[in-house]
Amino acid sequence: MQKNSYNKVILVGHLGGSPEGRYTKTGRATVSFSLATNETWKQQDGSVAEHTEWHTVVAWDKLADFCNDYLYKGQLVSVEGVLRSRLWETKEGEKRKAVEVLCSGVVPLEWKKT
């Protein structure tokens, strides 16, 4: 594998829902939430097109506690982290894959609930 590769994600978007916090069996805090990023562009015919991309964000430990305590649905935040993919098999034997942002930092860009 190439040694000079780099995995870093910076997203600015709105929370799609309130963070869902929980604890592992060993007592480690974790939280997950969805983040929406939007883009718009003008097409050749002059009409405006829009696309919303949804990202799943996961945080652990003290950062998870912060997210659970201070983030809320609709809030504008900046998220920094790395992309991680998980593979698993359902009880029915179906293979599933998820790509998530493993969060290393969150900065709320607004504090008022709308």
Side-chain angles (χ1 to χ4, degrees):
M1 174 166 244
Q2 189 175 1
K3 291 184 179 185
N4 58 351
S5 62
Y6 193 64
N7 180 359
K8 184 168 184 140
V9 175
I10 298 173
L11 298 170
V12 175
H14 290 87
L15 269 72
S18 296
E20 297 176 14
R22 57 201 163 279
Y23 291 91
T24 64
K25 291 179 184 177
T26 60
R28 194 171 174 204
T30 183
V31 71
S32 61
F33 56 90
S34 61
L35 188 75
T37 55
N38 301 302
E39 61 179 312
T40 58
W41 64 94
K42 197 172 190 179
Q43 296 182 335
Q44 287 182 344
D45 64 2
S47 65
V48 176
E50 185 175 330
H51 176 73
T52 301
E53 191 71 38
W54 289 94
H55 312 274
T56 301
V57 181
V58 177
W60 291 89
D61 303 321
K62 289 184 179 181
L63 185 56
D65 290 333
F66 172 83
C67 292
N68 205 36
D69 291 343
Y70 295 105
L71 301 186
Y72 54 86
K73 180 180 179 178
Q75 185 178 24
L76 182 65
V77 296
S78 173
V79 171
E80 188 172 331
V82 297
L83 284 180
R84 281 290 150 85
S85 57
R86 292 187 297 121
L87 299 171
W88 74 95
E89 198 169 300
T90 65
K91 293 177 184 176
E92 294 79 26
E94 298 175 8
K95 292 186 180 187
R96 302 286 181 158
K97 180 179 181 178
V99 177
E100 302 167 328
V101 176
L102 182 56
C103 185
S104 59
V106 174
V107 177
L109 300 177
E110 64 183 10
W111 285 98
K112 292 182 180 181
K113 289 189 178 185
T114 52

